[in-house]
Amino acid sequence: MAKDLSFDIVSQVDMQELDNALNQTKKEISQRYDFKGSIVDIVQNKDSIKIVAEDEYRINAALEILKAKMVKRNIPPKNLQCDKIESAFSGNKKLEIKVQNGISKEKAKDVVAAIKALKLKVTSEIQDEKIRVSGAKKDELQTVIHALKEKDFGIELQFINYR
């Protein structure tokens, strides 16, 4: 009898690499000519980032620099969820960015529905913030991975623990 094979679908951000990308962003902002004499503050909390600047242009520029540094460090920018730019103290603007770690229940249901739509002999189950997919054939599991990579669920999916 064949042994069941499985893999996990997760959406994770390496927080140490994110911290490194934030430090590189701060360094570049301090050296760029278009930021000279302006106030741009980037603060990282446990699962969020806050950017405070004088105007929306500088916030958007800082966000683009951050995304570029994230891509260089293999951190998916899709996992950043930006709120609207709001007014802050003394005429400044601020932007709250949530860092998405894990797959929410709604997104997990969408992923499971996409797997079931393939009509393969695999089972998928939601386990907290990850999805376990198991089946008897490697080819079917690889077909699931390939099909999920082609779809856009609004978050970056990683496939781990393939056994």
Side-chain angles (χ1 to χ4, degrees):
M1 185 173 149
K3 184 179 176 185
D4 264 359
L5 304 167
S6 68
F7 67 90
D8 294 333
I9 304 171
V10 296
S11 181
Q12 299 173 335
V13 174
D14 185 354
M15 296 308 276
Q16 182 61 47
E17 287 295 324
L18 180 63
D19 186 48
N20 293 340
L22 283 169
N23 289 335
Q24 287 181 337
T25 301
K26 290 176 187 177
K27 184 176 181 181
E28 183 170 329
I29 287 172
S30 70
Q31 295 174 345
R32 279 185 41 170
Y33 180 76
D34 54 342
F35 284 101
K36 291 286 183 204
S38 64
I39 300 169
V40 178
D41 190 28
I42 301 175
V43 179
Q44 179 185 8
N45 296 329
K46 181 177 170 71
D47 58 351
S48 67
I49 301 167
K50 184 164 71 170
I51 301 175
V52 179
E54 296 171 347
D55 54 19
E56 290 185 24
Y57 165 75
R58 286 186 174 84
I59 286 180
N60 290 328
L63 182 61
E64 290 305 313
I65 294 169
L66 174 62
K67 286 181 179 180
K69 298 299 181 187
M70 288 174 66
V71 168
K72 285 183 180 178
R73 294 190 156 273
N74 295 323
I75 305 170
K78 273 187 179 180
N79 288 20
L80 296 182
Q81 298 174 340
C82 300
D83 292 341
K84 291 185 178 181
I85 297 176
E86 301 172 352
S87 294
F89 56 92
S90 67
N92 290 339
K93 305 286 185 185
K94 71 176 180 177
L95 175 65
E96 284 282 336
I97 305 168
K98 292 181 182 71
V99 180
Q100 175 74 31
N101 248 338
I103 303 174
S104 67
K105 295 287 183 194
E106 296 80 26
K107 300 271 186 197
K109 288 178 184 177
D110 293 343
V111 172
V112 169
I115 292 171
K116 286 183 180 179
L118 295 173
K119 299 188 190 282
L120 296 172
K121 291 184 180 180
V122 296
T123 59
S124 57
E125 59 181 297
I126 301 171
Q127 299 175 342
D128 291 331
E129 295 183 342
K130 68 179 181 179
I131 302 168
R132 164 95 21 111
V133 180
S134 57
K137 297 182 180 177
K138 279 186 182 180
D139 292 342
E140 290 181 345
L141 293 179
Q142 289 173 343
T143 303
V144 169
I145 291 173
H146 183 69
L148 292 178
K149 282 184 178 179
E150 290 180 351
K151 293 190 182 242
D152 183 22
F153 294 101
I155 57 174
E156 188 73 22
L157 299 177
Q158 290 106 15
F159 306 97
I160 60 171
N161 296 338
Y162 188 78
R163 21 185 144 106

